[in-house]
Amino acid sequence: MAMFDPAYADLLDNPERRKALPIKEILRYLMSLKMDRKVAVDVGAGTGYLTIPLSWVFRKVYAVEANPKMAGFLRENLKRRGITNVEITLSEKPPRLPERPNLVAFSLSIHEIRNWRNYLRWALKADYVLIIEWCPGSKRGPPEEEKIPREEFLNMEGVELVLSRVRFPYYLLILSEKR
């Protein structure tokens, strides 16, 4: 799997993406869930497209980013906006957190994780998992062989679907662990 190239960081937050993937709609889905809004984790945080809005509704946000350059862009964005409740973790592995997260989010990033199933198993310890990914067949995004069909997530043992939306070229899933 290829890691996102920081040379294209401007594509992560632009008018076209905001129209195709409206953050207010995503927050509306999240706000409708019955959960505490204490701790969120944004895996593959990039420049903060999702991290920053999560910081508005969660007490603490852990932004996990594997690429040092992308983490630097995020740090600058947070500083410029005066956001102080986000902690950046530079890692390819699930972070060790002082408390259980209420939400773990993967926004167009889970396809970049080598062993995404294990990472998702870790994420399911949270109340909810948000996955936003590229639709197979879309001309946008990573190479076709790296796109993960949503059925791959839904067919995992112990996973319960809470919400599913397709907004081509993306799909959005909210999952929880079957209890």
Side-chain angles (χ1 to χ4, degrees):
M1 307 262 171
M3 187 181 292
F4 184 80
D5 184 346
Y8 299 102
D10 59 324
L11 297 176
L12 298 180
D13 189 0
N14 62 42
E16 183 183 344
R17 185 173 191 197
R18 278 185 245 132
K19 184 178 178 186
L21 195 60
I23 214 65
K24 286 182 182 178
E25 187 175 316
I26 294 166
L27 287 179
R28 192 169 44 251
Y29 294 143
L30 295 177
M31 297 299 283
S32 73
L33 300 172
K34 291 180 178 17
M35 72 171 152
D36 287 334
R37 291 184 185 82
K38 293 179 183 172
V39 178
V41 179
D42 185 9
V43 180
T47 59
Y49 185 78
L50 184 59
T51 304
I52 291 167
L54 289 175
S55 77
W56 304 334
V57 295
F58 284 86
R59 182 177 45 81
K60 179 76 172 183
V61 178
Y62 294 92
V64 181
E65 179 53 58
N67 187 305
K69 196 164 191 171
M70 295 302 292
F73 292 151
L74 175 57
R75 194 170 284 105
E76 289 171 20
N77 281 340
L78 295 171
K79 186 177 179 180
R80 191 171 53 251
R81 289 175 169 84
I83 296 171
T84 59
N85 64 331
V86 174
E87 183 177 315
I88 300 171
T89 301
L90 195 59
S91 178
E92 290 185 27
K93 297 178 181 172
R96 292 183 184 204
L97 303 174
E99 53 194 320
R100 186 177 72 81
N102 305 106
L103 175 75
V104 176
F106 299 89
S107 179
L108 303 174
S109 62
I110 200 165
H111 67 272
E112 293 184 355
I113 299 172
R114 279 192 214 358
N115 196 338
W116 63 263
R117 284 178 179 83
N118 282 350
Y119 212 124
L120 183 56
R121 286 273 166 239
W122 170 84
L124 284 166
K125 293 176 184 166
D127 297 328
Y128 295 98
V129 176
L130 168 68
I131 297 173
I132 302 169
E133 260 309 324
W134 298 96
C135 291
S138 164
K139 289 182 169 59
R140 297 188 56 208
E144 194 65 24
E145 63 274 7
E146 292 184 19
K147 294 177 183 171
I148 305 169
R150 61 191 181 136
E151 293 74 26
E152 291 269 339
F153 301 111
L154 302 178
N155 292 333
M156 284 182 67
E157 188 175 322
V159 172
E160 184 173 328
L161 176 65
V162 176
L163 179 91
S164 176
R165 298 286 184 267
V166 175
R167 193 179 182 103
F168 199 80
Y170 312 111
Y171 63 82
L172 177 145
L173 299 172
I174 296 178
L175 307 172
S176 68
E177 184 175 38
K178 282 187 181 171
R179 304 192 200 293

